[in-house]
Amino acid sequence: MKNFVYQNPTKIIFGEGTINQIGKEIKESGINKVLMIYGGGSILKNGVYDQIIESLNQYEIDYVEISGVQPNPVLSKVQEAINKAKEENVEGLLAVGGGSVYDSAKAIGLGCKYEGNVWDFYERKEKPKASIPIFGVLTISATGSEMNAGSVITNEAENKKWSVGTPLNFPKVSVIDPSVQSSLPANQTANTAIDTMAHVFELYFDGTQNVDVLMEYSEGIIRTTMKHVKILLEDPKNYQSRAQLAWCATLGLNGSNGVGRSGGDWSSHNIEHSLSALYGVSHGSGLAIVFPAWMKYVYKENIDMFERFAEQIFNITEGSKQEKALKGIEELKSFFSGINAPVTLKEIGIKYEDLGKIADNAAMLAPIGTLKKLEREDILEILKIAYE
Ligand code: NZQ
Ligand code: ZN
């Protein structure tokens, strides 16, 4: 294992019936007025909004709202919210939703304490120096944003879906009531599992040696996620499966699985972010397409790890190292298809002649990756594998 420092300051309140605690948490932090941020309205239909308002009222927290954060959240919405937060002199932010709302809240927090364009942080032109406290109620478990330092925003004018990571982004408190995720449509439930698995893969396959405990931890998260997403696609209201999937998602990217390694690979995420930026593809769907293709392109860089993956996750024991590694990748693709995710670019309507444009977009950040450093031409080859 490599040396590491690990500090995760986010308090998690987990379980059915916990949303009513949010007001108390905000009050006890000395915050009296928040900007509540949410998406397209799922929280109005499933009762989450009402539970939160009741809790805010009970603890006499003043609030203003901004809604309409879209999946693959955009910079213009963030800027609108920063203006509102400044005008209204809010003392904190309350994110209610999934990764898109949380990531927007993180950007808004940084923007509230910065005179320039918050995009400067995503372009790495400036380092963030301050934020305001972020609280959250998570309604879809996938990204780990509820307990991590990352924020991914799309600058829609420039087709850049880029990220910033800073300890300032850690939410102060996140409430996770898995029961409210039973209103997720089936494709979103599948997306959450794919994203969770993808975060684990980015770390698992980064090539670090002597991290047995983390390899076992990763495999546990992968197996548990695969088991419970299948149950949920049959039985969406199964609370125990929702709860286990939710905690897998948090563990997948709250840093606990990343310690002692080389920081993760992240090429597949990078390439997927270009699909989201250019075509609005949902993050989970894009990952189901890109990840197996990336694996096929790079597996020879550390064939032992891909063999281990095939053995541990899919019980593949017959054949040469290479045969096992390739069979494991095929099984993963079949698993994604089996939960009705797209697994080729063609399926989601992308034209072969556009692959160069996607590679250009992803290569703005090249070289990408740790297991194998990828330049534009490598990215293009991966997109060709992903095509059909
Ligand atoms: O907008 P509403 O109406 O609320 O609907 C949302 C949205 O359409 C819906 N939804 C959420 N909770 C629901 C629900 N529908 C019914 N019942 C509920 N309980 O789900 C849709 C997707 O929401 P979104 O927040 O976009 O999903 P997710 O949590 O998967 O977030 C994806 C975003 O996070 C980024 C992704 O790139 C993407 O932009 N990521 C953030 C990361 C981070 N901060 O660490 C890491 C990830 O790798 C990822 O890149
Ligand atoms: Zn992800």
Side-chain angles (χ1 to χ4, degrees):
M1 283 179 92
K2 296 180 184 295
N3 293 5
F4 64 87
V5 174
Y6 179 54
Q7 183 177 23
N8 190 317
T10 303
K11 175 175 178 179
I12 297 288
I13 299 177
F14 187 99
E16 193 163 14
T18 50
I19 292 178
N20 61 9
Q21 296 181 37
I22 193 67
K24 180 167 174 275
E25 291 296 325
I26 296 172
K27 195 76 183 177
E28 284 178 355
S29 300
I31 304 283
N32 292 304
K33 182 172 182 181
V34 293
L35 174 65
M36 175 169 161
I37 305 145
Y38 59 98
S42 68
I43 66 163
L44 302 172
K45 293 185 204 133
N46 62 11
V48 169
Y49 179 88
D50 291 341
Q51 291 182 60
I52 291 173
I53 298 302
E54 197 181 326
S55 182
L56 294 179
N57 287 338
Q58 185 186 353
Y59 287 90
E60 297 176 337
I61 313 283
D62 198 4
Y63 62 90
V64 285
E65 298 178 16
I66 190 153
S67 62
V69 171
Q70 64 187 67
N72 300 323
V74 292
L75 181 61
S76 56
K77 191 76 196 179
V78 165
Q79 286 165 333
E80 181 190 334
I82 292 169
N83 291 339
K84 184 156 189 167
K86 285 181 174 171
E87 275 161 30
E88 294 281 349
N89 286 316
V90 300
E91 297 163 5
L93 302 170
L94 174 56
V96 186
S100 296
V101 173
Y102 265 83
D103 287 4
S104 298
K106 291 171 180 180
I108 296 161
L110 298 176
C112 281
K113 291 285 187 181
Y114 182 61
E115 288 310 313
N117 184 346
V118 72
W119 187 251
D120 292 347
F121 303 130
Y122 295 78
E123 287 273 357
R124 312 276 190 274
K125 281 188 192 155
E126 291 288 335
K127 268 197 160 188
K129 295 193 181 66
S131 184
I132 63 173
I134 298 168
F135 300 81
V137 172
L138 188 72
T139 65
I140 170 172
S141 288
T143 64
S145 191
E146 67 279 8
M147 199 182 185
N148 74 28
S151 164
V152 190
I153 297 292
T154 301
N155 179 331
E156 68 271 43
E158 298 182 18
N159 284 335
K160 290 174 178 168
K161 184 175 178 183
W162 286 7
S163 64
V164 66
T166 160
L168 297 165
N169 277 343
F170 279 109
K172 206 166 164 53
V173 179
S174 281
V175 176
I176 307 173
D177 177 345
S179 70
V180 305
Q181 299 189 30
S182 59
S183 55
L184 282 171
N187 68 325
Q188 289 293 359
T189 297
N191 281 342
T192 68
I194 297 162
D195 196 21
T196 297
M197 291 168 71
H199 297 151
V200 177
F201 294 158
E202 297 285 15
L203 300 163
Y204 187 90
F205 291 113
D206 83 353
T208 315
Q209 302 294 314
N210 298 316
V211 285
D212 295 355
V213 59
L214 298 168
M215 297 302 268
E216 300 276 349
Y217 183 39
S218 298
E219 286 153 2
I221 298 173
I222 295 168
R223 284 194 212 98
T224 310
T225 301
M226 290 171 70
K227 173 177 169 183
H228 288 289
V229 69
K230 287 215 150 169
I231 295 174
L232 286 170
L233 292 177
E234 297 293 317
D235 179 14
K237 294 203 184 308
N238 186 316
Y239 175 77
Q240 289 305 334
S241 288
R242 286 282 171 206
Q244 299 199 60
L245 206 59
W247 195 236
C248 281
T250 303
L251 293 179
L253 200 55
N254 71 348
S256 58
N257 187 25
V259 295
R261 302 190 192 252
S262 310
D265 185 88
W266 303 106
S267 314
S268 300
H269 265 74
N270 206 308
I271 299 171
E272 192 297 305
H273 286 167
S274 292
L275 296 177
S276 295
L278 294 169
Y279 301 97
V281 174
S282 69
H283 183 56
S285 304
L287 289 167
I289 296 168
V290 173
F291 235 113
W294 172 83
M295 288 176 164
K296 268 193 199 153
Y297 190 69
V298 302
Y299 76 95
K300 287 186 181 151
E301 301 293 320
N302 190 337
I303 199 160
D304 290 348
M305 231 163 31
F306 283 89
E307 181 191 27
R308 174 181 172 135
F309 172 71
E311 286 175 357
Q312 295 295 320
I313 303 301
F314 294 110
N315 299 318
I316 296 166
T317 50
E318 308 269 300
S320 66
K321 264 185 194 304
Q322 176 160 353
E323 283 165 351
K324 285 197 268 183
L326 286 171
K327 184 93 197 323
I329 299 168
E330 276 314 309
E331 288 285 332
L332 177 67
K333 206 168 159 182
S334 307
F335 174 80
F336 287 157
S337 289
I339 57 172
N340 301 320
V343 286
T344 64
L345 292 170
K346 198 174 175 184
E347 265 176 83
I348 57 168
I350 289 178
K351 297 195 187 79
Y352 192 80
E353 52 270 31
D354 283 355
L355 300 189
K357 180 173 87 177
I358 305 168
D360 288 341
N361 189 286
M364 282 193 273
L365 295 165
I368 57 172
T370 306
L371 182 59
K372 181 175 167 65
K373 289 229 174 299
L374 306 178
E375 298 290 352
R376 182 189 179 277
E377 291 316 305
D378 301 297
I379 296 168
L380 186 59
E381 289 309 310
I382 291 168
L383 292 168
K384 285 181 188 167
I385 297 171
Y387 186 70
E388 61 186 336

